Amino acid sequence: QGVLDLPMPFQYFHIMSFMMTINLVLWSYSLACKKSLLTPLLYLFIQMVFQGIRELSAALADPFGDDEVDFPIENWLVEIVRRNAVLMESGYNPTFSIAEEVPLKQPKEKDVDIFADAAD
């Protein structure tokens, strides 16, 4: 079974959410101890970034699902089938052959002697 076929463990998701909650609680406590009027805005920004990263990682965890950020696999497959059908029905008959168009170089006599000396 492939790695992408395995779902993310349920416990892993919850432990990561718990760790993020603890992290945000510690941030709020440390910022509450500061005597500045900008700390609530800073905490709001930090909290939005952390929550956004968690939501984004949850959406990107399965790139083959039905979310907006997932790959359009069905569209790609339809396009590949359509292009293959066009190629097969076009009657294209290639006549180009590399062997006929590009003659092989024959080694020069001095090149053969160099290789013979190296083999000895």
Side-chain angles (χ1 to χ4, degrees), residues 29-47:
Y29 179 75
S30 67
L31 290 175
C33 293
K34 305 289 182 197
K35 295 186 180 186
S36 173
L37 295 175
L38 295 178
T39 54
L41 294 174
L42 180 63
Y43 179 73
L44 178 67
F45 177 74
I46 291 169
Q47 187 266 340

Side-chain angles (χ1 to χ4, degrees), residues 72-83:
I73 299 294
E74 293 174 8
N75 296 343
W76 291 351
L77 290 176
V78 168
E79 184 65 21
I80 288 171
V81 168
R82 188 188 66 76
R83 289 182 184 195

Side-chain angles (χ1 to χ4, degrees), residues 94-119:
T95 57
F96 178 79
S97 173
I98 293 177
E100 294 172 2
E101 299 292 329
V102 181
L104 295 175
K105 284 183 160 180
Q106 296 297 325
K108 297 179 183 175
E109 192 172 309
K110 68 177 186 173
D111 292 339
V112 173
D113 291 340
I114 291 172
F115 292 129
D117 292 338

Side-chain angles (χ1 to χ4, degrees), residues 49-109:
V49 167
F50 282 161
Q51 294 287 344
I53 289 173
R54 186 178 66 92
E55 291 297 321
L56 181 64
S57 66
L60 295 178
D62 182 19
F64 302 109
D66 295 329
D67 297 334
E68 291 182 17
V69 295
D70 294 336
F71 295 130
I73 299 294
E74 293 174 8
N75 296 343
W76 291 351
L77 290 176
V78 168
E79 184 65 21
I80 288 171
V81 168
R82 188 188 66 76
R83 289 182 184 195
N84 284 336
V86 168
L87 281 175
M88 290 190 295
E89 293 173 359
S90 69
Y92 178 70
N93 187 9
T95 57
F96 178 79
S97 173
I98 293 177
E100 294 172 2
E101 299 292 329
V102 181
L104 295 175
K105 284 183 160 180
Q106 296 297 325
K108 297 179 183 175
E109 192 172 309

